[in-house]
Amino acid sequence: MSATFKRRLPIPKEIKAEMPLSVASAERKKAVDEEVAAIIKGESPKKLLIVGPCSADNEDAVLEYASRLAKAQDEVKDKIQIVMRVYTNKPRTKGTGYKGLLHQPDPEGAPDLLAGLKAIRHMHLRVVEETGLFTADEMLYPENDRFLNDMLAYVAVGARSVEDQQHRLVASGIEVPVGMKNPTGGSMSVMLNSVYAAQHPQTFIYRNWEVETTGNPLAHCILRGYKGLDDINYPNYHYEYLERLAAAYEDDKNYQNPAVIIDTNHDNSGKRPLEQIRICSEVLDSVARNKDIAKLFRGFMIESYLEDGNQPIGGGVFGRSITDPCLGWDKTNRLIHDMADRL
């Protein structure tokens, strides 16, 4: 048993210098960040939609999807602020299998983390510069945040990471909203503790620095369903769960900007992506019926790609997920517009 230190990887400053964000895009991002922050704070009537592939594996397919999504954003901009999911790390429950673009720029090839760091920067950069959309990624590895932070308008901490101290502390220093998912076992208190930690000032070691943060008041909850002790998936987007979360926030006045995003896939849908349409409708019904839920609800996270479903690596269908199954583009586009009509 041993670990081999193969090579020194570039630091974020070096990668950014090699692939810089344009001045024009950096200026545009300020306005988008302000809009997204206003939504999380409840100061804007718009809702947030974080939508895109389960895993961004193919740059050409991701850019084709992004170009279509940018057109939809322009059509619903008065009601919805879209941030595109460009997820370049894939958590694996058992630690094996395809771990995303960062690990394998070629999904059929061997791991290459140097090429992967450049590939994830290049993909996010093309989406931003060519379509005008800003992006979201999962903070699977806290050390990687600085490679992309000038382009990310939203960050998610996944169900397997939400109890981890380093994720919570790094989230406290991120300058955009960070969504904390409920853990795989479903504990609401674990999720809320993570939000609390991220909202408060912290001191910790990060990338060989002693770091102090001021806290992130935009940290909030994401409900994504959970796996029960019987190993069956259970949703937590129903009226009763939303009502319970609203009450938990109300009972503790130490939280800033109480907010929730509903992840419509994963254990909420049982990884049945077509159910995401029905789930959005039910949540919007709950929002319409209960003022406390309406006060808390900020938007949706949806897994969507060019084609419905998924396929094995090397399956050959352009724009179909090679990880979790996704909602295809035509159905996604209708869902976005139907959602805008209801808001």
Side-chain angles (χ1 to χ4, degrees):
M1 293 183 291
S2 66
T4 301
F5 289 74
K6 293 175 63 176
R7 58 186 170 184
R8 175 194 174 274
L9 295 173
I11 63 173
K13 184 177 180 180
E14 293 167 335
I15 294 286
K16 287 177 175 177
E18 185 178 328
M19 289 178 274
L21 181 68
S22 70
V23 173
S25 291
E27 284 299 313
R28 283 193 302 105
K29 187 172 186 295
K30 293 177 183 178
V32 172
D33 285 349
E34 289 177 3
E35 183 64 56
V36 174
I39 293 169
I40 295 297
K41 292 177 183 177
E43 297 171 353
S44 169
K46 294 183 185 180
K47 298 304 176 188
L48 188 60
L49 179 60
I50 303 105
V51 59
C54 171
S55 180
D57 59 284
N58 179 292
E59 189 169 288
D60 290 338
V62 167
L63 263 292
E64 173 60 29
Y65 180 94
S67 67
R68 300 184 191 186
L69 189 63
K71 182 175 184 293
Q73 169 66 104
D74 189 57
E75 293 166 349
V76 300
K77 60 185 177 183
D78 293 337
K79 299 285 189 71
I80 297 171
Q81 175 65 53
I82 293 175
V83 177
M84 182 173 163
R85 281 177 58 110
V86 182
Y87 277 29
T88 53
N89 312 285
K90 178 66 180 172
R92 310 304 305 194
T93 301
K94 295 183 178 179
T96 58
Y98 175 64
K99 296 185 178 74
L101 191 72
L102 174 66
H103 280 260
Q104 292 167 262
D106 176 1
E108 298 184 74
D112 186 338
L113 291 170
L114 175 57
L117 281 175
K118 295 180 179 182
I120 67 173
R121 174 85 186 170
H122 192 258
M123 182 180 286
H124 278 269
L125 193 61
R126 283 194 67 193
V127 171
V128 171
E129 300 288 12
E130 295 181 26
T131 72
L133 294 171
F134 289 94
T135 54
D137 207 339
E138 180 175 344
M139 190 171 67
L140 185 59
Y141 307 110
E143 297 83 1
N144 291 346
D145 173 69
R146 312 299 284 186
F147 288 100
L148 300 173
N149 67 330
D150 54 339
M151 293 180 283
L152 298 179
Y154 188 91
V155 173
V157 174
R160 297 164 188 80
S161 303
V162 74
E163 293 188 70
D164 179 65
Q165 182 87 335
Q166 186 79 344
H167 283 80
R168 294 175 173 192
L169 302 186
V170 171
S172 73
I174 290 177
E175 296 179 351
V176 298
V178 178
M180 300 294 192
K181 291 194 174 185
N182 64 262
T184 54
S187 171
M188 184 180 293
S189 63
V190 167
M191 175 178 62
L192 286 168
N193 287 341
S194 186
V195 171
Y196 187 91
Q199 288 191 349
H200 286 77
Q202 304 289 352
T203 303
F204 55 99
I205 296 172
Y206 182 64
R207 303 187 67 94
N208 209 36
W209 286 81
E210 180 181 353
V211 176
E212 291 184 354
T213 68
T214 57
N216 184 349
L218 303 177
H220 58 277
C221 295
I222 302 176
L223 293 177
R224 48 87 74 199
Y226 62 97
K227 191 81 74 173
L229 296 176
D230 53 6
D231 208 35
I232 295 174
N233 67 280
Y234 291 92
N236 59 8
Y237 62 84
H238 293 310
Y239 183 96
E240 294 80 9
Y241 285 94
L242 296 175
E243 191 177 42
R244 199 174 304 152
L245 180 58
Y249 264 127
E250 186 63 29
D251 288 343
D252 191 335
K253 303 299 183 183
N254 290 310
Y255 290 98
Q256 303 175 70
N257 305 311
V260 67
I261 298 287
I262 306 301
D263 178 347
T264 60
N265 215 15
H266 298 102
D267 284 324
N268 269 334
S269 70
K271 295 188 179 180
R272 297 172 295 164
L274 300 186
E275 293 298 306
Q276 295 182 105
I277 299 168
R278 177 190 58 77
I279 291 167
C280 286
S281 180
E282 180 177 328
V283 170
L284 291 176
D285 284 343
S286 297
V287 168
R289 290 191 174 101
N290 186 304
K291 62 179 177 57
D292 293 326
I293 294 173
K295 188 178 177 182
L296 194 68
F297 172 71
R298 296 292 180 268
F300 293 106
M301 180 176 285
I302 295 172
E303 290 195 322
S304 158
Y305 212 176
L306 295 176
E307 301 292 339
D308 286 330
N310 63 347
Q311 63 184 339
I313 292 173
V317 179
F318 185 75
R320 179 171 287 162
S321 176
I322 61 170
T323 49
D324 289 350
C326 293
L327 191 67
W329 171 252
D330 289 342
K331 296 181 183 70
T332 301
N333 192 37
R334 285 198 298 273
L335 177 58
I336 292 171
H337 287 83
D338 288 346
M339 193 183 302
D341 289 342
R342 292 191 61 178
L343 292 174

